[in-house]
């Protein structure tokens, strides 16, 4: 398993952009944290296949409840990546399987 970061590196209600090797391909992903929930998704909006962050590591909406696509404002649930508002309503981010072991976020 490949280590991505430590949970403590990601403040609650925020995220971090990371390039990870997935199946041998360098892939932009985001690791997000909301309370005890830590998830990773491919950094690609299902609307126009663009990166979500409007500034590096800015992945949350202003209320810090959902993942935000900075391009057209789509909102995604942190837990399952499903879009609940915006042009890709009902579609979902591509989840990246991770494990959290001893505070370290690793690719599963
Ligand atoms: S590219 Fe994400 S909402 Fe349009």
């Amino acid at each position: 398993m490949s280590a991505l970061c430590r949970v403590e590196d990601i403040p609650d209600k925020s995220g971090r952009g990371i390039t990870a090797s997935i199946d041998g391909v360098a892939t932009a992903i985001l690791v997000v944290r909301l309370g005890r929930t830590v998830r990773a998704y491919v950094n690609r909006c299902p609307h126009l296949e663009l990166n979500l962050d409007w500034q590096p590591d800015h992945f949350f909406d202003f209320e810090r409840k959902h993942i935000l696509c900075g391009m057209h404002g789509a909102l995604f649930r942190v837990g399952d990546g499903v879009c609940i508002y915006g042009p890709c309503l009902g579609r979902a981010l591509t989840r990246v399987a991770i494990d959290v072991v001893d505070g370290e976020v690793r690719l599963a």
Side-chain angles (χ1 to χ4, degrees):
M1 289 190 288
S2 174
L4 298 171
C5 61
R6 295 195 58 79
V7 172
E8 67 205 34
D9 295 337
I10 307 170
D12 189 21
K13 302 179 182 177
S14 69
R16 182 170 172 190
I18 296 172
T19 300
S21 178
I22 299 178
D23 296 330
V25 178
T27 305
I29 69 171
L30 55 143
V31 179
V32 290
R33 179 179 171 196
L34 183 62
R36 298 172 68 124
T37 301
V38 180
R39 294 285 188 270
Y41 298 99
V42 174
N43 189 359
R44 189 183 323 118
C45 179
H47 178 217
L48 294 181
E49 306 291 324
L50 301 172
N51 285 4
L52 298 160
D53 42 333
W54 53 283
Q55 290 182 18
D57 297 331
H58 282 65
F59 292 106
F60 271 70
D61 65 335
F62 291 113
E63 294 183 353
R64 295 201 170 273
K65 289 183 177 175
H66 298 99
I67 298 168
L68 169 73
C69 177
M71 189 58 66
H72 303 114
L75 296 175
F76 304 87
R77 288 193 298 245
V78 172
D80 61 8
V82 172
C83 177
I84 54 149
Y85 174 84
C88 43
L89 184 66
R91 296 174 69 191
L93 302 173
T94 301
R95 191 159 169 177
V96 176
I98 56 170
D99 291 316
V100 178
V101 180
D102 295 332
E104 194 172 71
V105 182
R106 302 175 180 172
L107 288 175

